[in-house]
Amino acid sequence: VERAYSAQVTLVINEFMASNDSTAQDPQGQYDDWIEIYNFGSGAIDIGGFCLTDNPANPTKWRIPDGNPSLTTIPAFGYLLIWADNDIADAGLHANFKLDAGGEQIALFDSDGSTLIDEIVFGQQTTDLSSGRYPKASNNWQFFDEPSPGSRNISLTSGG
């Protein structure tokens, strides 16, 4: 497992859902917002200690738990799902913020809390449609009527 730093980072925010009413349940059975990180590199990356935020002015808003690589390692060409539900006491990866379906920003920072790895600014979201990159890891964002948390983005829709 390698540590990703700005020069060799192979991570992107690949898909997210800011208004989840009936699409994907977290381990606690709740329909919460979620963010998917994709590793497009050929080596596994442990993102324990990295920071995820919905407020770039506060890059260390939520530090991904460190010291549990089985929970935070993204395999080569693999995905990691983080629940944006402000339920940090729940088991699994639960950020200390929720996403705003009216639009906002998501940013992933390296463990130094200042090196930006990836960010997305998004507008109004539609319930149970996700937004994601298509094809994966590209700079082309689409709405998906068949969200695919934790797997390859496949079904495009022009709605949203």
Side-chain angles (χ1 to χ4, degrees):
V1 175
E2 63 181 287
R3 275 288 190 191
Y5 292 97
S6 57
Q8 71 216 42
V9 171
T10 58
L11 300 171
V12 291
I13 298 165
N14 196 57
E15 187 179 8
F16 68 89
M17 182 175 283
S19 182
N20 180 6
D21 188 52
S22 65
T23 300
Q25 290 179 302
D26 71 6
Q28 291 72 33
Q30 299 169 323
Y31 292 99
D32 289 319
D33 303 342
W34 50 267
I35 301 163
E36 176 192 83
I37 309 295
Y38 174 61
N39 174 9
F40 60 88
S42 58
I45 299 174
D46 180 359
I47 65 167
F50 285 40
C51 300
L52 192 65
T53 186
D54 64 345
N55 178 3
N58 183 6
T60 60
K61 185 170 187 175
W62 183 65
R63 190 170 292 275
I64 297 167
D66 207 356
N68 189 353
S70 64
L71 186 65
T72 56
T73 297
I74 309 174
F77 309 107
Y79 305 86
L80 184 69
L81 199 59
I82 296 170
W83 299 98
D85 58 5
N86 201 24
D87 289 335
I88 57 172
D90 286 351
L93 294 175
H94 295 266
N96 64 353
F97 59 87
K98 296 180 179 184
L99 298 177
D100 183 348
E104 67 171 335
Q105 187 168 352
I106 306 167
L108 178 66
F109 287 86
D110 208 329
S111 56
D112 62 10
S114 62
T115 303
L116 181 65
I117 294 173
D118 193 28
E119 65 182 337
I120 176 66
V121 177
F122 61 90
Q124 180 74 39
Q125 300 294 297
T126 301
T127 299
D128 290 330
L129 289 185
S130 67
S131 291
R133 297 173 186 270
Y134 189 82
K136 62 188 174 192
S138 74
N139 288 323
N140 184 41
W141 283 84
Q142 301 282 338
F143 287 105
F144 293 89
D145 56 9
E146 293 182 27
S148 57
S151 63
R152 182 173 64 94
N153 300 343
I154 50 172
S155 180
L156 294 175
T157 180
S158 59

Short mmCIF file of all heavy atoms in Angstrom, two decimals, residues 55-119:
data_model
loop_
_atom_site.label_atom_id
_atom_site.label_comp_id
_atom_site.label_asym_id
_atom_site.label_seq_id
_atom_site.Cartn_x
_atom_site.Cartn_y
_atom_site.Cartn_z
N ASN A 55 -16.54 22.22 2.68
CA ASN A 55 -16.19 23.62 2.85
C ASN A 55 -14.68 23.77 2.66
O ASN A 55 -13.92 23.58 3.61
CB ASN A 55 -16.61 24.10 4.25
CG ASN A 55 -16.21 25.54 4.51
OD1 ASN A 55 -15.67 26.22 3.64
ND2 ASN A 55 -16.47 26.00 5.71
N PRO A 56 -14.22 24.10 1.45
CA PRO A 56 -12.78 24.19 1.19
C PRO A 56 -12.04 25.18 2.09
O PRO A 56 -10.83 25.08 2.25
CB PRO A 56 -12.70 24.61 -0.27
CG PRO A 56 -13.99 24.12 -0.86
CD PRO A 56 -15.01 24.29 0.24
N ALA A 57 -12.76 26.11 2.71
CA ALA A 57 -12.12 27.01 3.68
C ALA A 57 -11.76 26.26 4.95
O ALA A 57 -10.97 26.74 5.76
CB ALA A 57 -13.05 28.19 4.00
N ASN A 58 -12.32 25.07 5.12
CA ASN A 58 -12.03 24.21 6.26
C ASN A 58 -11.63 22.83 5.72
O ASN A 58 -12.39 21.87 5.80
CB ASN A 58 -13.26 24.11 7.17
CG ASN A 58 -13.01 23.27 8.42
OD1 ASN A 58 -11.89 22.84 8.68
ND2 ASN A 58 -14.07 23.02 9.17
N PRO A 59 -10.41 22.73 5.15
CA PRO A 59 -10.02 21.50 4.47
C PRO A 59 -9.94 20.27 5.38
O PRO A 59 -10.06 19.15 4.90
CB PRO A 59 -8.66 21.82 3.86
CG PRO A 59 -8.18 23.02 4.58
CD PRO A 59 -9.39 23.76 5.06
N THR A 60 -9.76 20.47 6.67
CA THR A 60 -9.66 19.33 7.59
C THR A 60 -10.97 19.09 8.34
O THR A 60 -10.97 18.52 9.42
CB THR A 60 -8.50 19.53 8.59
OG1 THR A 60 -8.74 20.72 9.35
CG2 THR A 60 -7.16 19.64 7.88
N LYS A 61 -12.07 19.51 7.76
CA LYS A 61 -13.38 19.37 8.42
C LYS A 61 -13.62 17.94 8.91
O LYS A 61 -14.06 17.72 10.01
CB LYS A 61 -14.49 19.80 7.47
CG LYS A 61 -15.87 19.80 8.11
CD LYS A 61 -16.90 20.45 7.23
CE LYS A 61 -18.23 20.59 7.94
NZ LYS A 61 -19.19 21.34 7.11
N TRP A 62 -13.33 16.95 8.04
CA TRP A 62 -13.45 15.55 8.47
C TRP A 62 -12.21 14.80 8.03
O TRP A 62 -11.92 14.70 6.84
CB TRP A 62 -14.69 14.88 7.90
CG TRP A 62 -14.86 13.47 8.38
CD1 TRP A 62 -15.09 13.05 9.67
CD2 TRP A 62 -14.78 12.27 7.60
NE1 TRP A 62 -15.17 11.69 9.72
CE2 TRP A 62 -14.99 11.18 8.46
CE3 TRP A 62 -14.57 12.02 6.24
CZ2 TRP A 62 -14.99 9.86 8.04
CZ3 TRP A 62 -14.56 10.71 5.81
CH2 TRP A 62 -14.77 9.64 6.69
N ARG A 63 -11.46 14.31 9.02
CA ARG A 63 -10.27 13.51 8.73
C ARG A 63 -10.70 12.05 8.68
O ARG A 63 -11.29 11.53 9.63
CB ARG A 63 -9.19 13.74 9.78
CG ARG A 63 -7.86 13.11 9.38
CD ARG A 63 -6.73 13.54 10.29
NE ARG A 63 -6.37 14.94 10.17
CZ ARG A 63 -5.53 15.44 9.27
NH1 ARG A 63 -4.97 14.64 8.38
NH2 ARG A 63 -5.25 16.72 9.25
N ILE A 64 -10.42 11.39 7.56
CA ILE A 64 -10.75 9.98 7.39
C ILE A 64 -9.96 9.20 8.45
O ILE A 64 -8.76 9.43 8.62
CB ILE A 64 -10.42 9.54 5.96
CG1 ILE A 64 -11.30 10.32 4.97
CG2 ILE A 64 -10.59 8.03 5.79
CD1 ILE A 64 -10.89 10.23 3.52
N PRO A 65 -10.63 8.33 9.20
CA PRO A 65 -9.95 7.63 10.29
C PRO A 65 -8.67 6.93 9.82
O PRO A 65 -8.65 6.29 8.76
CB PRO A 65 -10.99 6.60 10.75
CG PRO A 65 -12.29 7.16 10.33
CD PRO A 65 -12.03 7.94 9.07
N ASP A 66 -7.62 7.07 10.61
CA ASP A 66 -6.32 6.48 10.31
C ASP A 66 -6.14 5.24 11.19
O ASP A 66 -6.75 5.14 12.25
CB ASP A 66 -5.22 7.50 10.59
CG ASP A 66 -3.98 7.25 9.75
OD1 ASP A 66 -3.93 6.26 9.01
OD2 ASP A 66 -3.05 8.07 9.84
N GLY A 67 -5.31 4.33 10.75
CA GLY A 67 -4.99 3.17 11.57
C GLY A 67 -5.91 1.98 11.36
O GLY A 67 -5.85 1.00 12.11
N ASN A 68 -6.77 2.04 10.35
CA ASN A 68 -7.65 0.91 10.04
C ASN A 68 -7.64 0.69 8.52
O ASN A 68 -8.63 0.95 7.84
CB ASN A 68 -9.07 1.18 10.55
CG ASN A 68 -9.96 -0.04 10.44
OD1 ASN A 68 -9.58 -1.07 9.87
ND2 ASN A 68 -11.17 0.07 10.96
N PRO A 69 -6.51 0.24 7.98
CA PRO A 69 -6.38 0.13 6.52
C PRO A 69 -7.41 -0.79 5.87
O PRO A 69 -7.74 -0.60 4.70
CB PRO A 69 -4.96 -0.38 6.31
CG PRO A 69 -4.49 -0.86 7.62
CD PRO A 69 -5.29 -0.16 8.68
N SER A 70 -7.95 -1.75 6.61
CA SER A 70 -8.96 -2.62 6.00
C SER A 70 -10.22 -1.83 5.67
O SER A 70 -10.98 -2.21 4.78
CB SER A 70 -9.30 -3.80 6.92
OG SER A 70 -9.90 -3.34 8.11
N LEU A 71 -10.43 -0.71 6.35
CA LEU A 71 -11.59 0.14 6.11
C LEU A 71 -11.31 1.25 5.10
O LEU A 71 -12.21 1.69 4.42
CB LEU A 71 -12.03 0.77 7.45
CG LEU A 71 -13.30 1.58 7.50
CD1 LEU A 71 -14.52 0.71 7.20
CD2 LEU A 71 -13.45 2.23 8.86
N THR A 72 -10.05 1.68 5.01
CA THR A 72 -9.72 2.89 4.25
C THR A 72 -8.82 2.67 3.04
O THR A 72 -8.44 3.62 2.38
CB THR A 72 -9.05 3.93 5.18
OG1 THR A 72 -7.90 3.34 5.79
CG2 THR A 72 -10.02 4.40 6.26
N THR A 73 -8.47 1.43 2.73
CA THR A 73 -7.62 1.17 1.57
C THR A 73 -8.48 0.95 0.33
O THR A 73 -9.42 0.15 0.35
CB THR A 73 -6.71 -0.05 1.81
OG1 THR A 73 -5.85 0.25 2.91
CG2 THR A 73 -5.88 -0.36 0.58
N ILE A 74 -8.15 1.69 -0.72
CA ILE A 74 -8.85 1.55 -1.99
C ILE A 74 -7.96 0.72 -2.91
O ILE A 74 -6.84 1.12 -3.21
CB ILE A 74 -9.15 2.92 -2.64
CG1 ILE A 74 -9.84 3.86 -1.64
CG2 ILE A 74 -10.00 2.73 -3.89
CD1 ILE A 74 -10.03 5.27 -2.15
N PRO A 75 -8.43 -0.44 -3.36
CA PRO A 75 -7.59 -1.26 -4.23
C PRO A 75 -7.35 -0.58 -5.57
O PRO A 75 -8.06 0.36 -5.94
CB PRO A 75 -8.41 -2.55 -4.40
CG PRO A 75 -9.80 -2.20 -4.02
CD PRO A 75 -9.74 -1.02 -3.09
N ALA A 76 -6.37 -1.07 -6.30
CA ALA A 76 -6.13 -0.58 -7.65
C ALA A 76 -7.42 -0.68 -8.45
O ALA A 76 -8.10 -1.70 -8.39
CB ALA A 76 -5.03 -1.40 -8.31
N PHE A 77 -7.77 0.40 -9.14
CA PHE A 77 -8.97 0.46 -9.96
C PHE A 77 -10.23 0.14 -9.13
O PHE A 77 -11.18 -0.43 -9.64
CB PHE A 77 -8.86 -0.45 -11.19
CG PHE A 77 -7.59 -0.22 -11.96
CD1 PHE A 77 -6.55 -1.13 -11.91
CD2 PHE A 77 -7.41 0.95 -12.68
CE1 PHE A 77 -5.37 -0.89 -12.59
CE2 PHE A 77 -6.23 1.19 -13.37
CZ PHE A 77 -5.21 0.27 -13.32
N GLY A 78 -10.20 0.53 -7.86
CA GLY A 78 -11.30 0.24 -6.95
C GLY A 78 -11.96 1.49 -6.40
O GLY A 78 -11.52 2.61 -6.65
N TYR A 79 -13.00 1.26 -5.63
CA TYR A 79 -13.87 2.33 -5.13
C TYR A 79 -13.98 2.25 -3.62
O TYR A 79 -13.90 1.18 -3.03
CB TYR A 79 -15.27 2.18 -5.72
CG TYR A 79 -15.30 2.12 -7.23
CD1 TYR A 79 -15.13 0.92 -7.90
CD2 TYR A 79 -15.49 3.27 -7.98
CE1 TYR A 79 -15.16 0.87 -9.28
CE2 TYR A 79 -15.52 3.23 -9.37
CZ TYR A 79 -15.35 2.03 -10.01
OH TYR A 79 -15.37 1.99 -11.37
N LEU A 80 -14.24 3.41 -3.01
CA LEU A 80 -14.51 3.47 -1.58
C LEU A 80 -15.69 4.41 -1.38
O LEU A 80 -15.71 5.52 -1.92
CB LEU A 80 -13.29 3.99 -0.81
CG LEU A 80 -13.45 4.01 0.71
CD1 LEU A 80 -13.49 2.59 1.27
CD2 LEU A 80 -12.31 4.79 1.35
N LEU A 81 -16.66 3.96 -0.61
CA LEU A 81 -17.86 4.74 -0.36
C LEU A 81 -17.79 5.36 1.03
O LEU A 81 -17.49 4.68 2.01
CB LEU A 81 -19.08 3.81 -0.46
CG LEU A 81 -20.43 4.47 -0.68
CD1 LEU A 81 -20.44 5.29 -1.96
CD2 LEU A 81 -21.52 3.40 -0.73
N ILE A 82 -18.08 6.65 1.09
CA ILE A 82 -18.12 7.39 2.35
C ILE A 82 -19.52 7.97 2.49
O ILE A 82 -20.03 8.60 1.56
CB ILE A 82 -17.05 8.50 2.38
CG1 ILE A 82 -15.65 7.86 2.31
CG2 ILE A 82 -17.22 9.37 3.62
CD1 ILE A 82 -14.53 8.84 2.09
N TRP A 83 -20.13 7.76 3.64
CA TRP A 83 -21.47 8.29 3.91
C TRP A 83 -21.34 9.71 4.44
O TRP A 83 -20.60 9.95 5.40
CB TRP A 83 -22.20 7.40 4.90
CG TRP A 83 -22.38 6.03 4.34
CD1 TRP A 83 -21.60 4.94 4.58
CD2 TRP A 83 -23.36 5.62 3.38
NE1 TRP A 83 -22.04 3.88 3.81
CE2 TRP A 83 -23.12 4.27 3.08
CE3 TRP A 83 -24.42 6.27 2.75
CZ2 TRP A 83 -23.90 3.55 2.18
CZ3 TRP A 83 -25.21 5.55 1.86
CH2 TRP A 83 -24.94 4.21 1.58
N ALA A 84 -22.01 10.65 3.82
CA ALA A 84 -22.00 12.05 4.26
C ALA A 84 -23.31 12.28 5.02
O ALA A 84 -24.29 12.78 4.47
CB ALA A 84 -21.88 12.99 3.06
N ASP A 85 -23.32 11.84 6.29
CA ASP A 85 -24.56 11.82 7.05
C ASP A 85 -24.45 12.41 8.45
O ASP A 85 -25.43 12.40 9.20
CB ASP A 85 -25.10 10.40 7.13
CG ASP A 85 -24.13 9.41 7.78
OD1 ASP A 85 -23.06 9.84 8.26
OD2 ASP A 85 -24.43 8.21 7.78
N ASN A 86 -23.27 12.89 8.81
CA ASN A 86 -23.05 13.48 10.13
C ASN A 86 -23.35 12.48 11.25
O ASN A 86 -23.77 12.86 12.34
CB ASN A 86 -23.86 14.76 10.31
CG ASN A 86 -23.29 15.64 11.42
OD1 ASN A 86 -22.11 15.56 11.74
ND2 ASN A 86 -24.12 16.49 12.00
N ASP A 87 -23.15 11.19 10.98
CA ASP A 87 -23.33 10.14 11.98
C ASP A 87 -21.98 9.51 12.30
O ASP A 87 -21.78 8.31 12.13
CB ASP A 87 -24.30 9.06 11.47
CG ASP A 87 -25.73 9.53 11.38
OD1 ASP A 87 -26.09 10.46 12.11
OD2 ASP A 87 -26.48 8.97 10.57
N ILE A 88 -21.03 10.31 12.78
CA ILE A 88 -19.65 9.84 12.94
C ILE A 88 -19.52 8.73 13.98
O ILE A 88 -18.53 8.02 13.99
CB ILE A 88 -18.69 11.00 13.26
CG1 ILE A 88 -19.12 11.75 14.52
CG2 ILE A 88 -18.56 11.93 12.08
CD1 ILE A 88 -18.12 12.78 15.00
N ALA A 89 -20.52 8.55 14.84
CA ALA A 89 -20.46 7.47 15.82
C ALA A 89 -20.81 6.12 15.20
O ALA A 89 -20.53 5.07 15.79
CB ALA A 89 -21.38 7.76 16.99
N ASP A 90 -21.41 6.11 13.99
CA ASP A 90 -21.79 4.86 13.34
C ASP A 90 -20.55 4.12 12.85
O ASP A 90 -19.54 4.73 12.49
CB ASP A 90 -22.71 5.13 12.14
CG ASP A 90 -24.12 5.50 12.56
OD1 ASP A 90 -24.44 5.40 13.76
OD2 ASP A 90 -24.91 5.90 11.67
N ALA A 91 -20.65 2.80 12.82
CA ALA A 91 -19.57 1.97 12.29
C ALA A 91 -19.42 2.23 10.80
O ALA A 91 -20.40 2.46 10.09
CB ALA A 91 -19.87 0.50 12.55
N GLY A 92 -18.20 2.18 10.31
CA GLY A 92 -17.93 2.44 8.90
C GLY A 92 -17.43 3.85 8.70
O GLY A 92 -17.04 4.54 9.65
N LEU A 93 -17.44 4.31 7.46
CA LEU A 93 -16.94 5.64 7.13
C LEU A 93 -18.11 6.61 7.01
O LEU A 93 -18.84 6.59 6.02
CB LEU A 93 -16.13 5.60 5.83
CG LEU A 93 -14.84 4.79 5.90
CD1 LEU A 93 -14.18 4.71 4.53
CD2 LEU A 93 -13.88 5.38 6.92
N HIS A 94 -18.27 7.45 8.02
CA HIS A 94 -19.36 8.43 8.08
C HIS A 94 -18.76 9.81 8.36
O HIS A 94 -18.25 10.05 9.45
CB HIS A 94 -20.35 8.07 9.20
CG HIS A 94 -21.07 6.79 8.95
ND1 HIS A 94 -22.31 6.74 8.34
CD2 HIS A 94 -20.72 5.50 9.20
CE1 HIS A 94 -22.70 5.48 8.26
NE2 HIS A 94 -21.75 4.70 8.76
N ALA A 95 -18.82 10.69 7.37
CA ALA A 95 -18.29 12.05 7.51
C ALA A 95 -19.14 12.86 8.47
O ALA A 95 -20.32 12.56 8.69
CB ALA A 95 -18.22 12.73 6.14
N ASN A 96 -18.56 13.92 8.98
CA ASN A 96 -19.25 14.79 9.96
C ASN A 96 -20.01 15.93 9.28
O ASN A 96 -20.18 16.99 9.84
CB ASN A 96 -18.28 15.33 11.00
CG ASN A 96 -17.22 16.23 10.39
OD1 ASN A 96 -17.13 16.38 9.17
ND2 ASN A 96 -16.41 16.84 11.24
N PHE A 97 -20.48 15.69 8.07
CA PHE A 97 -21.29 16.68 7.36
C PHE A 97 -22.24 15.95 6.41
O PHE A 97 -22.05 14.78 6.10
CB PHE A 97 -20.42 17.67 6.58
CG PHE A 97 -19.51 17.04 5.55
CD1 PHE A 97 -19.96 16.80 4.25
CD2 PHE A 97 -18.21 16.70 5.87
CE1 PHE A 97 -19.13 16.22 3.30
CE2 PHE A 97 -17.37 16.11 4.92
CZ PHE A 97 -17.83 15.89 3.64
N LYS A 98 -23.27 16.66 6.00
CA LYS A 98 -24.21 16.17 4.98
C LYS A 98 -24.02 17.05 3.75
O LYS A 98 -23.54 18.17 3.85
CB LYS A 98 -25.65 16.27 5.48
CG LYS A 98 -25.93 15.39 6.67
CD LYS A 98 -27.37 15.53 7.13
CE LYS A 98 -27.63 14.62 8.31
NZ LYS A 98 -29.04 14.63 8.72
N LEU A 99 -24.42 16.55 2.60
CA LEU A 99 -24.34 17.33 1.38
C LEU A 99 -25.61 18.16 1.21
O LEU A 99 -26.69 17.75 1.63
CB LEU A 99 -24.16 16.41 0.16
CG LEU A 99 -22.87 15.58 0.17
CD1 LEU A 99 -22.83 14.66 -1.04
CD2 LEU A 99 -21.65 16.48 0.22
N ASP A 100 -25.47 19.31 0.58
CA ASP A 100 -26.59 20.21 0.34
C ASP A 100 -27.12 19.96 -1.07
O ASP A 100 -26.43 20.24 -2.06
CB ASP A 100 -26.12 21.66 0.50
CG ASP A 100 -27.25 22.67 0.34
OD1 ASP A 100 -28.35 22.29 -0.13
OD2 ASP A 100 -27.02 23.84 0.66
N ALA A 101 -28.34 19.45 -1.16
CA ALA A 101 -28.93 19.15 -2.47
C ALA A 101 -29.14 20.40 -3.30
O ALA A 101 -29.35 20.32 -4.51
CB ALA A 101 -30.25 18.40 -2.30
N GLY A 102 -29.08 21.57 -2.67
CA GLY A 102 -29.20 22.83 -3.40
C GLY A 102 -27.92 23.22 -4.11
O GLY A 102 -27.91 24.15 -4.92
N GLY A 103 -26.83 22.49 -3.82
CA GLY A 103 -25.54 22.76 -4.46
C GLY A 103 -24.50 23.19 -3.45
O GLY A 103 -24.80 23.92 -2.52
N GLU A 104 -23.29 22.74 -3.63
CA GLU A 104 -22.14 23.14 -2.82
C GLU A 104 -20.88 22.55 -3.42
O GLU A 104 -20.80 22.35 -4.62
CB GLU A 104 -22.33 22.77 -1.35
CG GLU A 104 -22.35 21.28 -1.05
CD GLU A 104 -22.33 20.98 0.42
OE1 GLU A 104 -21.84 21.81 1.22
OE2 GLU A 104 -22.80 19.91 0.81
N GLN A 105 -19.91 22.22 -2.59
CA GLN A 105 -18.62 21.74 -3.06
C GLN A 105 -18.17 20.57 -2.21
O GLN A 105 -18.45 20.53 -1.01
CB GLN A 105 -17.60 22.88 -2.97
CG GLN A 105 -16.26 22.57 -3.57
CD GLN A 105 -15.41 23.82 -3.72
OE1 GLN A 105 -15.87 24.93 -3.50
NE2 GLN A 105 -14.16 23.65 -4.09
N ILE A 106 -17.49 19.62 -2.82
CA ILE A 106 -16.85 18.52 -2.11
C ILE A 106 -15.37 18.58 -2.48
O ILE A 106 -15.02 18.76 -3.65
CB ILE A 106 -17.39 17.14 -2.54
CG1 ILE A 106 -18.91 17.07 -2.40
CG2 ILE A 106 -16.73 16.03 -1.72
CD1 ILE A 106 -19.52 15.86 -3.11
N ALA A 107 -14.50 18.44 -1.47
CA ALA A 107 -13.06 18.46 -1.75
C ALA A 107 -12.37 17.37 -0.93
O ALA A 107 -12.71 17.13 0.23
CB ALA A 107 -12.47 19.83 -1.42
N LEU A 108 -11.39 16.73 -1.56
CA LEU A 108 -10.56 15.71 -0.92
C LEU A 108 -9.14 16.26 -0.82
O LEU A 108 -8.57 16.70 -1.83
CB LEU A 108 -10.57 14.42 -1.75
CG LEU A 108 -9.70 13.27 -1.25
CD1 LEU A 108 -10.21 12.74 0.09
CD2 LEU A 108 -9.66 12.14 -2.30
N PHE A 109 -8.61 16.27 0.40
CA PHE A 109 -7.26 16.77 0.65
C PHE A 109 -6.38 15.64 1.17
O PHE A 109 -6.85 14.73 1.85
CB PHE A 109 -7.28 17.90 1.69
CG PHE A 109 -7.85 19.19 1.18
CD1 PHE A 109 -9.21 19.43 1.19
CD2 PHE A 109 -7.01 20.17 0.66
CE1 PHE A 109 -9.74 20.62 0.72
CE2 PHE A 109 -7.53 21.37 0.19
CZ PHE A 109 -8.90 21.59 0.21
N ASP A 110 -5.09 15.75 0.86
CA ASP A 110 -4.12 14.78 1.36
C ASP A 110 -4.03 14.91 2.88
O ASP A 110 -4.58 15.83 3.49
CB ASP A 110 -2.76 15.03 0.70
CG ASP A 110 -1.93 13.76 0.60
OD1 ASP A 110 -2.06 12.89 1.48
OD2 ASP A 110 -1.14 13.64 -0.36
N SER A 111 -3.29 14.00 3.51
CA SER A 111 -3.20 13.96 4.97
C SER A 111 -2.55 15.21 5.56
O SER A 111 -2.71 15.48 6.75
CB SER A 111 -2.46 12.71 5.43
OG SER A 111 -1.18 12.66 4.83
N ASP A 112 -1.85 15.99 4.74
CA ASP A 112 -1.27 17.24 5.26
C ASP A 112 -2.34 18.31 5.49
O ASP A 112 -2.07 19.36 6.08
CB ASP A 112 -0.16 17.77 4.35
CG ASP A 112 -0.65 18.12 2.94
OD1 ASP A 112 -1.87 18.14 2.68
OD2 ASP A 112 0.22 18.36 2.07
N GLY A 113 -3.55 18.07 5.02
CA GLY A 113 -4.65 19.01 5.23
C GLY A 113 -4.61 20.23 4.34
O GLY A 113 -5.44 21.12 4.48
N SER A 114 -3.65 20.29 3.41
CA SER A 114 -3.57 21.45 2.53
C SER A 114 -3.39 21.11 1.06
O SER A 114 -3.70 21.92 0.20
CB SER A 114 -2.45 22.39 2.99
OG SER A 114 -1.20 21.74 2.90
N THR A 115 -2.91 19.91 0.74
CA THR A 115 -2.71 19.53 -0.65
C THR A 115 -4.02 19.00 -1.22
O THR A 115 -4.50 17.93 -0.82
CB THR A 115 -1.61 18.45 -0.77
OG1 THR A 115 -0.41 18.95 -0.20
CG2 THR A 115 -1.38 18.07 -2.23
N LEU A 116 -4.60 19.76 -2.15
CA LEU A 116 -5.86 19.37 -2.76
C LEU A 116 -5.64 18.21 -3.72
O LEU A 116 -4.78 18.28 -4.60
CB LEU A 116 -6.48 20.56 -3.51
CG LEU A 116 -7.81 20.29 -4.20
CD1 LEU A 116 -8.91 19.99 -3.18
CD2 LEU A 116 -8.20 21.49 -5.06
N ILE A 117 -6.42 17.16 -3.55
CA ILE A 117 -6.35 16.00 -4.44
C ILE A 117 -7.42 16.12 -5.52
O ILE A 117 -7.15 15.95 -6.70
CB ILE A 117 -6.50 14.69 -3.65
CG1 ILE A 117 -5.30 14.52 -2.73
CG2 ILE A 117 -6.66 13.51 -4.59
CD1 ILE A 117 -5.40 13.35 -1.79
N ASP A 118 -8.66 16.43 -5.12
CA ASP A 118 -9.73 16.57 -6.09
C ASP A 118 -10.85 17.37 -5.45
O ASP A 118 -11.00 17.40 -4.23
CB ASP A 118 -10.25 15.19 -6.53
CG ASP A 118 -11.15 15.28 -7.76
OD1 ASP A 118 -10.96 16.20 -8.58
OD2 ASP A 118 -12.02 14.41 -7.92
N GLU A 119 -11.65 18.01 -6.31
CA GLU A 119 -12.80 18.76 -5.83
C GLU A 119 -13.86 18.81 -6.92
O GLU A 119 -13.55 18.67 -8.11
CB GLU A 119 -12.42 20.18 -5.41
CG GLU A 119 -11.94 21.04 -6.54
CD GLU A 119 -11.52 22.43 -6.09
OE1 GLU A 119 -11.96 22.88 -5.03
OE2 GLU A 119 -10.73 23.04 -6.82
#
